[in-house]
Amino acid sequence: MRPSDLAREHGLSTQAVRNYERDGFLPAAERTRSGYRVYTETHAAALRAFLSLVPAYGHSAAGRIMRAVHEDALDDALTIIDQGHAQLLRDRETLDAVRDAVDHLTAASEGAEPMATANADLRTRPASLTVGELAHRLDVTPATLRNWEDAGILTPARDPLTGYRLYRPADVRDADLAHLLRRGDYPLDHISTVVRQIRTAGGTDALSAALDDWRRRLTVRGRAMLEASAHLSRYLSTWAAHSGT
């Protein structure tokens, strides 16, 4: 096969195929005497696997998975996949927690429950965290948390002795929500509005719509993971026969 043969199946440019080979997402191609690349069904299967991994785990993770496979580091590839599934599960759990909070807030706004009930679930969250501890929990930098504070998303308390920031259970919940929505490409000003709505007993329609949209995205990602697993599994068999591993 020529680069154009692989590219045509996916609507790619031939340069994109060459770049994927250069970056290790595809095995190295054989060359003709005149220097032209010669691809095989192994390369076609690798390309299908890589492109299926992108919507499931992201471009960077997909590339690291394929490079690990080609470096005979299958456990490393599977670890990246496991991390993606763990993140998806955490996103679902955060969504469920926020949805419960919205339901409580809606009930509170209708006079069914006092506002304290809306935050009852927060008692199960961790005690106050420092900026470093919360940053580690979310795998972000402390500077990111300070940016969220500047945007009005977080309102941490201050230790009366040291002046250091302290993130209470409600702040941790708001940070989890902000982290979730940032991964969904929501801008900071929108997230700030959503978080303010979580803190109050009214106006949760916009938040409910955002959560519904993100749940749909999680469903799409989950199905993409299933599709990617099938393509990668087929490629692993092809690669094993090709490389003799």
Side-chain angles (χ1 to χ4, degrees):
M1 298 181 183
R2 300 166 299 175
S4 58
D5 296 324
L6 269 67
R8 188 179 306 111
E9 178 182 348
H10 305 283
L12 300 173
S13 67
T14 55
Q15 186 59 51
V17 174
R18 297 188 192 100
N19 291 344
Y20 292 157
E21 180 194 346
R22 177 200 65 198
D23 294 337
F25 307 160
L26 309 182
E30 298 292 334
R31 298 275 187 155
T32 66
R33 289 183 178 180
S34 55
Y36 291 109
R37 290 174 173 85
V38 177
Y39 292 120
T40 66
E41 180 55 37
T42 298
H43 298 90
L47 183 58
R48 294 185 197 109
F50 169 70
L51 293 177
S52 70
L53 288 165
V54 171
Y57 303 98
H59 188 279
S60 175
R64 288 187 286 122
I65 290 168
M66 295 303 293
R67 282 196 295 269
V69 169
H70 296 143
E71 293 167 2
D72 293 328
L74 181 58
D75 284 345
D76 292 344
L78 295 177
T79 296
I80 298 168
I81 291 171
D82 290 343
Q83 290 169 343
H85 284 275
Q87 184 63 69
L88 181 62
L89 178 59
R90 180 174 177 179
D91 286 352
R92 291 190 185 281
E93 290 172 343
T94 300
L95 265 176
D96 289 340
V98 174
R99 177 64 69 189
D100 288 344
V102 171
D103 292 341
H104 284 309
L105 290 172
T106 302
S109 67
E110 295 171 352
E113 297 287 346
M115 186 59 191
T117 304
N119 294 317
D121 64 310
L122 300 182
R123 286 193 282 270
T124 63
R125 288 181 175 268
S128 295
L129 302 178
T130 66
V131 63
E133 290 169 338
L134 182 57
H136 178 74
R137 168 190 167 91
L138 298 177
D139 194 23
V140 300
T141 65
T144 295
L145 297 179
R146 289 192 284 270
N147 287 338
W148 293 356
E149 183 179 344
D150 292 339
I153 296 169
L154 301 178
T155 56
R158 295 279 183 164
D159 186 296
L161 296 179
T162 64
Y164 294 155
R165 292 172 174 83
L166 290 177
Y167 295 87
R168 299 152 296 189
D171 299 313
V172 175
R173 177 204 62 197
D174 293 345
D176 279 336
L177 175 59
H179 193 220
L180 175 71
L181 294 177
R182 282 300 285 163
R183 290 198 300 277
D185 296 326
Y186 288 92
L188 290 180
D189 58 346
H190 179 79
I191 295 173
S192 179
T193 299
V194 168
V195 169
R196 283 198 302 271
Q197 290 171 338
I198 265 284
R199 293 179 187 146
T200 63
T204 58
D205 288 347
L207 177 58
S208 294
L211 295 180
D212 288 344
D213 177 63
W214 188 247
R215 188 174 294 281
R216 285 191 292 270
R217 294 180 186 217
L218 293 184
T219 298
V220 169
R221 197 198 315 167
R223 295 191 63 173
M225 287 179 174
L226 291 175
E227 183 74 14
S229 294
H231 280 289
L232 183 60
S233 179
R234 285 194 291 269
Y235 177 61
L236 288 175
S237 297
T238 302
W239 174 245
H242 173 83
S243 61
T245 59

